[in-house]
Amino acid sequence: MSDQSSSPGARSLALLMQALQATLAASAFDAARDTLAVAYSGGLDSTVLLDVAAQLAQQQGVRVLGLHVHHGLSPHADAWLVHAQDFCAQRGLPLHAEHVQLDKVADSGVEEAARLARYAALGRLCRQHGARLLLTAHHLDDQAETVLLQLLRGSGLAGLSGMDSCHAAPALLGDPDTLVARPLLGITRAQLESYAQQQGLAWIEDESNADPRYTRNALRHQVMPALGQVFPGYQQRLARSAGHAQGAQELLREVAEADLAQCRRDDHLLMPALRSLSEQRFLNLMRHWFGLRGMRMPSAAWMQEMRSQLLQADVEAQLCVSHPDGEVHRYRERVFLAPRRTPPDEGTVIRLRWEGQAQLRIDAYYGVLHVEVLAAEDGRPGFSPAWLRAQPLSVCARSGGERIQLGANRPARSLKQQYQSADVPAWERPFLPLLFAGDALIFAAGIGMDCAHFSSDGERVALRWQAD
C-alpha cells in the first residue's frame, strides 16, 4: 500500500502549508492573539488559499476568517456571495462581506476603480473584525504578469519590483497597521489548479477575467501563452528579475533617506542642499519625498521639468509647479510640497459654538482648531473658558484691513505684516482661517491669538491650528 503522505495531494498541501507558515512567521503573526483574514472572491486562487488556511486553523487553532467584497458588477455577484458563504460554512469559518458600488466610472477605469474599492472594503472589514494580517492569493503567474505589464508601461525600478510578499498599504487599506501578505507568490497557477482538482474544490469563474478590453486579461490570454511556448518557466525568470529590482530599489531608498536627512528642515527642503546633489540623486530624493507624502509618482519628463524650474528660477522667485495631487513651491530658497486644495468661496462665514471640545474640525480650511486647557502653573496666555463659551464664534478668510496684537508689549500689526514676520508663504495664507468672537478677531492661524481678550488669572485655554 502506498504512503498517503507521498500522494500528489499530500505533497501539494505540504508545499502550500509551508508557504503559508513561512509568511505568517515573516509577518510576526502571533496565533495566540492575532486573527488571520483571507480575501476570498470565490475564484480558484483564493479558494485554494482559504482551504489551506482552514486546515491550518483546524491543526493549530489559528483564528481565520474570510472576507468577501460584492462589487455588483456581474449579474452573478449575488450567487458568488452565496457560494462564499457556503464554502466558509462547510469549513467552520466566519465570512464577512461588504457591498460596494462603483458610480460613474468609464469602462477604461472600471478595473482600477474596482481594485481600489475592493482594498478599501477589505481594510474596513479587517479593522471591524480585529484582523492585523490580510492574505491575498496572488501567485507566481500574477507576479510575472505584473512585472511584464510594468515593463511595457516603461516603469522604473519601483514598478519592476512587482508585488511585495508582505507590506503595509495605508493608501489602499485606510490604515498603517494592517499588513497585506501574499503567501502564494512562489506558487504557479497550474500548481493551484492541480491542488484544487486533487481536493475536489469548487470555485467560480468571473466572466470579466476573459474580457480582452482589460489590459491584464489581454496579456494573460494572448501574450503569456506565447511566452510560455518560447520561454518555458518564464514566470520564475521574471520573478527573479523582480527580486533584483527590489534589491536595487532598496538601495535607492537608503540613498534617498540619507539625502533627505541632509536636505530637509521641518516640512520643507533646502535649495542649497538640493543644488549639491547630482541629477539622479535629486530625482531619486524627490520621488522618495513624493511617496512619503502619498502623492502619485509623476512622469520622468515632469520630474525633469520640475528640477529645471527649481534650479533655474531666481533666488527671490516664488515658483509653483503643479502636480495632479498638489503643488511644488519654492519660497526663500526652500521647497514645499502642498496638497491640492480649493480655498473657501469668497465671503464664506462658518458659525461655531465652543462647548468645551478639545478640537473643532473646519473642513473648508483643511484642518483642526485645537483648544488646549492650560495648567495653572503654565505661564502661557489664553482666554477664559467661560468667556469663550459665551461668544458667538465665526471663521472666515482674510478680507483686508484686519490687525492683530500678539502681546500687550507688542504693537498691533496688519495680517500681511504678521504673515511676513512669521515667514508664512503666500500660497498658505488662503487656507489659514481667522476666528472672530463677534466682531473681534481673536485668533489667526499661522500667527497666534490676539491679546485683547486674554484672561489674567484662573483657568485659561489656548488656541492652535493644525493643518491636515
Side-chain angles (χ1 to χ4, degrees), residues 131-151:
R132 188 186 65 85
L133 182 62
L134 171 68
L135 300 186
T136 66
H138 295 97
H139 47 71
L140 185 60
D141 296 63
D142 293 327
Q143 182 75 304
E145 289 172 8
T146 298
V147 174
L148 186 56
L149 190 60
Q150 294 296 335
L151 180 64

Side-chain angles (χ1 to χ4, degrees), residues 17 20-21 24 29-36 52-65 91-94:
M17 189 69 75
L20 176 56
Q21 291 176 325
L24 297 186
F29 181 84
D30 185 348
R33 60 179 177 83
D34 292 336
T35 297
L36 183 63
V52 175
Q55 296 189 57
L56 181 70
Q58 292 178 348
Q59 294 173 13
Q60 301 184 16
V62 176
R63 289 191 297 276
V64 176
L65 53 87
R91 288 156 180 78
L93 300 179

Side-chain angles (χ1 to χ4, degrees), residues 39-216:
Y40 177 52
S41 67
L44 167 67
D45 313 335
S46 62
T47 293
V48 171
L49 179 58
L50 188 56
D51 184 72
V52 175
Q55 296 189 57
L56 181 70
Q58 292 178 348
Q59 294 173 13
Q60 301 184 16
V62 176
R63 289 191 297 276
V64 176
L65 53 87
L67 303 181
H68 181 84
V69 179
H70 183 302
H71 286 106
L73 294 175
S74 168
H76 308 295
D78 290 338
W80 295 345
L81 175 57
V82 172
H83 172 89
Q85 291 168 335
D86 291 343
F87 187 88
C88 288
Q90 291 167 10
R91 288 156 180 78
L93 300 179
L95 177 80
H96 303 286
E98 180 173 324
H99 288 66
V100 298
Q101 190 169 357
L102 305 180
D103 296 321
K104 300 179 181 179
V105 179
D107 287 346
S108 59
V110 168
E111 189 175 20
E112 178 64 8
R115 185 183 77 91
L116 294 176
R118 178 169 63 254
Y119 275 107
L122 291 171
R124 288 190 294 270
L125 289 169
C126 283
R127 289 188 291 276
Q128 290 170 13
H129 302 286
R132 188 186 65 85
L133 182 62
L134 171 68
L135 300 186
T136 66
H138 295 97
H139 47 71
L140 185 60
D141 296 63
D142 293 327
Q143 182 75 304
E145 289 172 8
T146 298
V147 174
L148 186 56
L149 190 60
Q150 294 296 335
L151 180 64
L152 294 172
R153 288 172 174 168
S155 300
L157 282 176
L160 297 179
S161 297
M163 293 178 283
D164 292 330
S165 58
C166 184
H167 66 108
L172 287 175
L173 298 178
D175 75 88
D177 300 319
T178 304
L179 297 178
V180 180
R182 302 175 177 92
L184 305 182
L185 279 185
I187 311 293
T188 66
R189 188 186 191 281
Q191 289 175 301
L192 299 181
E193 186 169 5
S194 175
Y195 172 84
Q197 292 172 346
Q198 291 161 3
Q199 301 295 324
L201 302 180
W203 65 88
I204 60 175
E205 294 287 355
D206 185 341
E207 68 276 7
S208 69
N209 288 335
D211 190 339
R213 292 179 301 169
Y214 300 131
T215 305
R216 189 176 285 271

Side-chain angles (χ1 to χ4, degrees), residues 325-373:
D325 294 336
E327 297 169 337
V328 180
H329 292 270
R330 208 191 85 178
Y331 174 75
R332 294 184 180 179
E333 287 286 84
R334 293 170 295 170
V335 179
F336 297 82
L337 200 53
R340 184 166 293 281
R341 299 165 294 180
T342 302
D345 294 335
E346 186 175 352
T348 298
V349 177
I350 302 171
R351 307 294 179 184
L352 297 176
R353 178 68 68 174
W354 185 64
E355 298 175 338
Q357 308 98 306
Q359 300 178 358
L360 292 170
R361 174 80 196 174
I362 307 178
D363 287 325
Y365 289 89
Y366 303 91
V368 174
L369 179 64
H370 292 265
V371 185
E372 179 185 0
V373 178

Side-chain angles (χ1 to χ4, degrees), residues 446-459:
I447 298 175
M449 299 178 290
D450 189 277
C451 69
H453 298 281
F454 283 168
S455 176
S456 58
D457 55 14
E459 189 178 24

Side-chain angles (χ1 to χ4, degrees), residues 268-281:
H268 58 270
L269 304 181
L270 303 175
M271 278 304 304
L274 289 175
R275 289 192 186 96
S276 70
L277 297 178
S278 68
E279 176 182 338
Q280 291 305 317
R281 287 182 69 161

